[in-house]
Amino acid sequence: SFDFLNRTGRTQLYHILQAMVSSLVVAVGSALVVPAVGFVGPASSHLPQQAPALRASGAAHDAGAARSSLSSSAAALCTGLAAAGVVTASRRRSARAAAGSDFTKGLYEPRTVFFADVDIKFPLPGSEKMINTMVGADVEIGDGAPWDPLGFSKLYDRNFDFNNVMVYPHVQWLRESELKHGRVCMLAFVGMIVQSACQIPGLPQEPNWSKTLETMLFESGQVGQLSLIQVAIFTMFAEGRFYPEDSWIGQMKREPGDLGFDPLKWSKRPGFDLKKSQLSELKNGRLAMIGVASIFANHAIPGSVPFLTGFYATKPEKTATSASSTFCGKTGAPAVQSASKTERRYTTQVILPALQWIKTGLKLGELQATELRAKNLAGVDVLVGKDGSGKLFCVANLCPHIGTPMSEGADVIGDVIVCPLHGSSFKVTTGELIDWCPTPFIIGPLTGFVVERKNLAVFEVRSSFFGGDIEVLVDTNAKKAYEADYWKGLLDAQGKDDGTFY
């Protein structure tokens, strides 16, 4: 039974068996004809009688002639049968090839699996010509010609001069990319600036844009994680719905950047100048890309962009707190462990200031007039308070005389703060020295005589519009700069003062 074979296999096996049977018939026929020579009898009895000797000689001669004749006949018969078999097999193969047997179709002819409705498009030159028709081309700085010093709009047309492989993109794709990056950067720049100044109450508070992603993933719980998922899903649908198909070869069905998004119907209003709005969006997008790049540069090299240095605030540093045991032996919440020690890197190079707005953890409404609060922000000891009129100020907490903490009993009289130890007084607005170590009698002036007179350091302070959070502008590299002399001397003593990190 050949039920296990498919149709092609059965047909193939049938032809093989048929060829075997044909060969077998030819072989059997040859085997039957050739031995017949041995069974041929003597001459017929009607031949004339001869003498015994002559008869014996003639009989032998006749028998040899008969055997030779029969052998030749058998060989001719076998050759004819074999030739007939070959011709028959050849004709059958020719007939199968002409008719197209199932065996041939199954192995050699391709079969259609599905019909794909593909719109085949062939690239055509025209990138350099199209840029002259785009918005903004006639108002560039090139005397009415598009400003393209590197010739990006000409690269696509050069593909046809090389090898017709579309390696370089069409100007249609370049404009689509420019508008998309401009829109993203406009949103990003506004988000960075607004977020650094105010945050929505109840949502994750992170004014530093460089730490926002980390805060949303690991510190804000499900609120931050779900918001990131929401942004990712929206981006996925937007990119899929408005995918710029065939823009690489300049055959996109829509204009670059035209997503059809106009929920307020601005373009439908009478007198609306679409070209002017497109030009405004293009220029603002380019400016936003430069702005975001400057924010990144200022983050990598503090102070490289003066107008952006120290604009955004950072969260106050967390300090370890513990609850003391009660009289009955009940202990409070366990102390919050401080961050583990990490490897520090020191250098003997000059350390530049890095000014940042840092939140103090205080609210403007929490402070009363002449009240003082001491804070340590990024390694800097500051004293936040209000003068006699209720105006907010921030000065250094350590007196420039011998480093007495001003928070330990300093008095605020009007806009003057007085050191609790030797009575040195300073202006809280400018830090100007008013009186140097007047008390106690004799001892105070003597101690002030051996120390150089200095003004009190003053820090810029502000309160946020939403929530009233108090923020102070401090140099986050102040601690490193203070320790630089120590490490410079230590590394110099070891012969390692070559400006590298250790």
Side-chain angles (χ1 to χ4, degrees):
S1 173
F2 302 110
D3 292 338
F4 65 95
L5 297 175
N6 55 20
R7 182 179 179 183
T8 302
R10 290 197 301 269
T11 304
Q12 181 180 5
L13 183 60
Y14 169 77
H15 293 316
I16 292 173
L17 293 178
Q18 190 176 19
M20 292 175 60
V21 171
S22 300
S23 301
L24 182 61
V25 169
V26 173
V28 171
S30 300
L32 292 177
V33 172
V34 173
V37 178
F39 295 95
V40 177
S44 301
S45 57
H46 64 271
L47 294 176
Q49 297 292 328
Q50 298 179 359
L54 295 176
R55 191 168 53 248
S57 174
H61 175 74
D62 294 340
R67 284 194 299 270
S68 175
S69 177
L70 289 175
S71 298
S72 300
S73 300
L77 181 60
C78 292
T79 302
L81 291 174
V86 171
V87 171
T88 303
S90 176
R91 289 179 177 178
R92 288 174 179 174
R93 284 195 298 269
S94 301
R96 286 198 303 270
S101 64
D102 293 338
F103 172 70
T104 305
K105 290 182 179 180
L107 294 181
Y108 300 103
E109 292 185 1
R111 296 181 179 179
T112 303
V113 179
F114 65 94
F115 293 93
D117 188 10
V118 179
D119 184 13
I120 302 177
K121 296 182 179 180
F122 298 96
L124 298 174
S127 176
E128 187 176 359
K129 182 179 179 181
M130 180 178 290
I131 192 175
N132 295 314
T133 63
M134 289 185 170
V135 175
D138 55 343
V139 294
E140 298 284 2
I141 62 177
D143 296 332
W147 188 74
D148 187 17
L150 298 180
F152 287 114
S153 61
K154 304 176 183 178
L155 290 177
Y156 177 80
D157 295 337
R158 300 293 83 80
N159 290 319
F160 299 92
D161 299 334
F162 298 149
N163 52 7
N164 287 331
V165 178
M166 300 298 107
V167 178
Y168 304 111
H170 195 277
V171 71
Q172 193 179 52
W173 185 90
L174 295 176
R175 175 53 61 89
E176 175 79 11
S177 177
E178 181 183 25
L179 289 174
K180 180 182 294 186
H181 283 82
R183 291 166 179 173
V184 170
C185 286
M186 283 189 285
L187 293 174
F189 188 83
V190 173
M192 291 176 180
I193 300 302
V194 174
Q195 175 181 310
S196 63
C198 60
Q199 297 85 38
I200 301 176
L203 295 180
Q205 306 291 313
E206 181 51 76
N208 189 349
W209 63 268
S210 63
K211 301 179 181 179
T212 302
L213 182 60
E214 180 181 357
T215 302
M216 298 291 284
L217 288 176
F218 305 110
E219 299 182 14
S220 60
Q222 293 184 352
V223 176
Q225 296 171 359
L226 291 178
S227 62
L228 290 178
I229 295 176
Q230 180 182 5
V231 172
I233 293 176
F234 173 79
T235 304
M236 178 184 66
F237 278 103
E239 290 291 336
R241 173 64 179 81
F242 303 105
Y243 175 69
E245 186 179 5
D246 296 325
S247 61
W248 189 272
I249 58 176
Q251 300 183 25
M252 187 169 55
K253 296 180 180 179
R254 58 177 175 83
E255 292 186 5
D258 185 9
L259 307 182
F261 181 77
D262 187 16
L264 300 180
K265 306 298 180 181
W266 289 96
S267 60
K268 305 297 182 181
R269 297 184 179 184
F272 179 78
D273 192 347
L274 178 61
K275 184 177 180 180
K276 182 179 179 180
S277 299
Q278 291 176 338
L279 181 61
S280 177
E281 180 189 28
L282 180 64
K283 290 189 173 182
N284 283 278
R286 292 171 176 174
L287 182 62
M289 286 188 281
I290 298 175
V292 172
S294 63
I295 292 179
F296 276 93
N298 186 74
H299 177 72
I301 308 176
S304 59
V305 184
F307 295 102
L308 296 177
T309 300
F311 184 84
Y312 56 86
T314 57
K315 293 187 298 184
E317 296 181 354
K318 297 180 180 179
T319 57
T321 58
S322 61
S324 59
S325 301
T326 59
F327 178 77
C328 298
K330 182 180 179 181
T331 58
V336 179
Q337 297 181 355
S338 59
S340 59
K341 294 182 179 180
T342 58
E343 182 181 358
R344 291 181 177 268
R345 302 179 70 196
Y346 298 96
T347 178
T348 57
Q349 294 179 345
V350 177
I351 299 178
L352 300 176
L355 301 177
Q356 291 185 4
W357 286 101
I358 300 181
K359 288 188 175 182
T360 61
L362 301 174
K363 301 288 186 178
L364 184 62
E366 296 178 0
L367 295 178
Q368 304 298 326
T370 70
E371 184 180 358
L372 301 173
R373 295 285 184 89
K375 292 293 180 179
N376 184 279
L377 306 177
V380 181
D381 292 318
V382 298
L383 188 65
V384 182
K386 289 184 177 180
D387 59 12
S389 62
K391 184 178 180 181
L392 188 65
F393 70 87
C394 181
V395 296
N397 188 32
L398 302 181
C399 178
H401 178 211
I402 57 174
T404 303
M406 304 284 279
S407 59
E408 300 299 328
D411 295 325
V412 178
I413 304 172
D415 60 349
V416 178
I417 185 171
V418 181
C419 176
L421 186 57
H422 298 112
S424 299
S425 55
F426 309 88
K427 281 281 227 181
V428 296
T429 55
T430 62
E432 180 185 358
L433 174 63
I434 298 177
D435 199 357
W436 187 255
C437 302
T439 59
F441 183 69
I442 299 178
I443 297 177
L446 287 177
T447 57
F449 179 76
V450 297
V451 179
E452 181 183 1
R453 297 191 177 193
K454 299 178 181 178
N455 292 331
L456 184 63
V458 178
F459 299 89
E460 293 186 30
V461 62
R462 70 183 182 185
S463 60
S464 61
F465 184 78
F466 295 100
D469 295 322
I470 299 177
E471 302 170 354
V472 179
L473 183 64
V474 298
D475 179 13
T476 57
N477 285 340
K479 185 176 181 181
K480 293 181 180 179
Y482 178 79
E483 297 174 346
D485 293 336
Y486 167 77
W487 290 107
K488 180 178 177 62
L490 181 62
L491 297 174
D492 182 65
Q494 299 178 2
K496 299 179 180 179
D497 187 8
D498 56 358
T500 55
F501 287 90
Y502 294 93

